[in-house]
Amino acid sequence: MADLIKIHPDGREELKDGGAMCNAIAWNEDDTFKEIAGHEPIIGCSMQVGSINGRTYSNQDWWLTTRVTKILEKIEKKNRTIWIFETENSKYKFE
C-alpha cells in the first residue's frame, strides 16, 4: 500500500490518497497517456495513487499529480522507501 501526502508551504501535511495503485504515468507530447513507466516517482511523469477498484460511496478513487520536476529526497527505511518530490505546482511525500 502507498500513501501520497501533499506538503503545504507552511509544512502542514495532507493525505491526498492511498491504496494499492501507484503508477508513474508518462505522457505523449500532446499530453495524452503514453504508458505506465514505473511505480515510484520519475521526473517528467505524473504520480497516480489510490484504489485499483472503484470505492463505494466515494467521490475519489485516486489522485493524479502534475508532472514530477525534481526528486528532493529518497529515504530508505527498514521495509519501505520514502520519496519527497516536487511537481509543476506542489510538493509531495510518497511512501
Side-chain angles (χ1 to χ4, degrees), residues 1 29 32 44 48 56 58 65 71 91:
M1 299 293 257
E29 288 183 24
T32 57
Q48 179 187 37
T56 305
S58 175
T65 71
I71 305 293
K91 183 177 177 182

Side-chain angles (χ1 to χ4, degrees), residues 2 4 7 31 55 59-60 69 88 92:
L4 183 67
I7 302 171
D31 291 331
R55 295 179 180 143
N59 62 353
Q60 175 181 317
T69 57
E88 294 169 340
Y92 291 93

Side-chain angles (χ1 to χ4, degrees), residues 2 6 14 16 18 34 37 43 62-63 66 70-71 75 94:
K6 183 176 182 175
E14 176 186 6
K16 293 318 256 179
K34 181 178 182 181
I43 292 175
W62 43 264
W63 188 265
T66 55
K70 185 188 286 185
I71 305 293
I75 305 161
F94 172 74

Side-chain angles (χ1 to χ4, degrees), residues 1-2 5 9 13 16 19 25 27-28 30 34 42 51 56 58 62 65 68 73-75 80 95:
M1 299 293 257
I5 300 160
E13 295 186 354
K16 293 318 256 179
I25 305 293
W27 304 99
N28 292 309
D30 64 354
K34 181 178 182 181
I42 298 171
S51 175
T56 305
S58 175
W62 43 264
T65 71
V68 175
E73 199 171 356
K74 181 180 176 184
I75 305 161
R80 65 184 182 164
E95 53 183 297

Side-chain angles (χ1 to χ4, degrees), residues 9-86:
D10 63 5
R12 190 171 37 94
E13 295 186 354
E14 176 186 6
L15 177 66
K16 293 318 256 179
D17 214 324
M21 177 178 53
C22 50
N23 298 318
I25 305 293
W27 304 99
N28 292 309
E29 288 183 24
D30 64 354
D31 291 331
T32 57
F33 173 83
K34 181 178 182 181
E35 64 185 348
I36 295 174
H39 302 287
E40 55 194 30
I42 298 171
I43 292 175
C45 294
S46 298
M47 281 303 296
Q48 179 187 37
V49 178
S51 175
I52 57 174
N53 301 317
R55 295 179 180 143
T56 305
Y57 304 116
S58 175
N59 62 353
Q60 175 181 317
D61 292 328
W62 43 264
W63 188 265
L64 182 67
T65 71
T66 55
R67 288 178 174 89
V68 175
T69 57
K70 185 188 286 185
I71 305 293
L72 300 173
E73 199 171 356
K74 181 180 176 184
I75 305 161
E76 300 288 343
K77 292 232 175 167
K78 240 182 208 180
N79 296 324
R80 65 184 182 164
T81 303
I82 299 170
W83 298 79
I84 308 293
F85 65 94
E86 290 180 350

